Amino acid sequence: MKRLFTKLLCCVLIILLALGVCSCESNTAEIENLITKFEYSCKTLDINSLLDCISPEISQRIKLVSGIAGIFVDMDIDEIFESVAGELLGILPDNGDEFFSSINITRYNISVSNDSASVNTMVDFTLSGERFEKEMIFECVYEDKWYISNIDF
C-alpha cells in the first residue's frame, strides 16, 4: 500500500511539474509575441496595434487625451506617439514617429513570476536625429492577456 501511494504521489508531482513548465513556456512565448507585436507596431506606426500592447490603464488615458485633444486641436499621429512615449518612457521625443519607427528590439532574458514579467532587452532607436543603443526593461502584466505596463528607460 505504501509503495502504491509513493508511486501515485510521484505521478502527481511529475504531472504538476510538467504543467508548470508548459505554463512557463506558454507565458514566455506569449510575452515574446507581445514584444514582437509592439516592435512591429512601432515600425509601422500602427497606433491601434501599439495601444493594444499596452496595459489598458495606460492606453485608455492615451486614447482619452488624444481623442479629446484631437477634437479641439487637430492632434496628428506624431503627437499621439509623443504622448505614448511620455506615458511609457517618461520622455518627449522631438519627433515621435521618427523615434518609434526606428526602434529595433533584441530580447535576451524573460523572467516570469505569476501575473508579471520582466523582459531585459537591448533597444536601438533614433532620438533627435541621433542613433542610440540602450538596455531597456519591459515590465509586463497579465490582465486577461499579457500587456506592457512600463518600460524602464
Side-chain angles (χ1 to χ4, degrees), residues 103-120:
I103 288 178
N104 291 310
I105 302 172
T106 305
R107 290 167 292 292
Y108 59 90
N109 187 19
I110 298 175
S111 175
V112 180
S113 175
N114 298 324
D115 61 350
S116 65
S118 294
V119 184
N120 294 326

Side-chain angles (χ1 to χ4, degrees), residues 5-32:
F5 179 74
T6 304
K7 286 182 180 181
L8 184 59
L9 182 61
C10 284
C11 288
V12 169
L13 289 175
I14 289 170
I15 291 170
L16 290 175
L17 181 62
L19 289 174
V21 169
C22 291
S23 174
C24 235
E25 288 176 6
S26 173
N27 286 337
T28 300
E30 288 177 26
I31 293 165
E32 285 177 354

Side-chain angles (χ1 to χ4, degrees), residues 47 50-51 54-69 75 79-88:
I47 191 66
L50 179 73
L51 292 175
I54 300 171
S55 170
E57 179 182 321
I58 298 169
S59 64
Q60 292 302 324
R61 282 195 312 252
I62 294 168
K63 288 176 185 177
L64 180 65
V65 168
S66 63
I68 291 171
M75 191 175 204
E79 292 168 316
I80 295 171
F81 275 102
E82 289 170 9
S83 177
V84 171
E87 286 287 334
L88 276 179

